[in-house]
């Protein structure tokens, strides 16, 4: 299954991609809000993992037009200790995770959402 990882810190995105690929995901990374919007519109993704704070926008706004039909799980991450800002909505997201991301927790959330390991689905 395909997953879109959105983070403007490329090292974070690459590390997450490596971890998720080991779990069987086909991962595509986007480093900007605009790139992520294009990918979501063109690609068929089962999962989205996005940072809130992107250099050119707010990750919460990626799903303002609703969830794409094939998107089974959407997770937003934040490194901020402050409460989530009100721009954008959590309505279309399944989970909020604080950075640094606990990888085992992320994998458990993903497995619960898809019902099996991605390579088995």
């Amino acid at each position: 299954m395909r997953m879109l990882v959105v983070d403007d810190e490329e090292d974070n995105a690459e590390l997450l991609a490596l971890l998720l690929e080991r779990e069987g995901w086909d991962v595509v990374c986007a480093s900007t809000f605009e790139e992520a919007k294009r990918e979501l519109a063109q690609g068929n993704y089962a999962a989205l993992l996005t940072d809130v704070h992107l250099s050119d926008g707010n990750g919460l706004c990626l799903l303002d037009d609703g969830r794409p039909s094939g998107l089974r799980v959407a997770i937003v991450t934040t490194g901020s200790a402050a409460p989530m800002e009100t721009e954008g909505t959590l309505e279309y997201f399944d989970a909020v995770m604080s950075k640094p991301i606990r990888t085992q927790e992320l994998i458990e959330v993903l497995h619960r959402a898809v019902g099996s390991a991605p390579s088995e689905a």
Side-chain angles (χ1 to χ4, degrees):
M1 278 189 263
R2 293 182 78 204
M3 175 185 289
L4 180 61
V5 172
V6 186
D7 197 318
D8 55 2
E9 294 182 28
E10 289 185 38
D11 289 344
N12 287 346
E14 290 174 14
L15 185 61
L16 283 168
L18 287 172
L19 166 82
L20 294 164
E21 286 168 351
R22 275 193 314 195
E23 292 294 316
W25 290 93
D26 176 17
V27 179
V28 173
C29 293
S31 60
T32 67
F33 179 87
E34 288 303 319
E35 184 182 0
K37 282 298 270 190
R38 280 193 305 275
E39 281 294 329
L40 283 171
Q42 296 173 359
N44 182 21
Y45 292 97
L48 168 66
L49 177 65
T50 183
D51 191 13
V52 171
H53 301 287
L54 302 171
S55 60
D56 63 337
N58 183 321
L60 287 174
C61 297
L62 285 172
L63 299 180
D64 277 356
D65 297 330
R67 280 172 81 133
S69 61
L71 193 63
R72 294 170 71 178
V73 61
I75 301 168
V76 65
T77 66
T78 182
S80 174
M84 196 74 70
E85 56 274 358
T86 57
E87 180 187 349
T89 180
L90 287 170
E91 176 182 358
Y92 298 111
F93 287 89
D94 301 295
V96 176
M97 299 184 91
S98 297
K99 289 183 175 181
I101 295 172
R102 289 184 214 94
T103 54
Q104 190 57 43
E105 180 183 359
L106 172 61
I107 290 166
E108 288 171 7
V109 168
L110 292 169
H111 282 237
R112 278 194 307 268
V114 298
S116 64
S119 56
E120 297 169 5

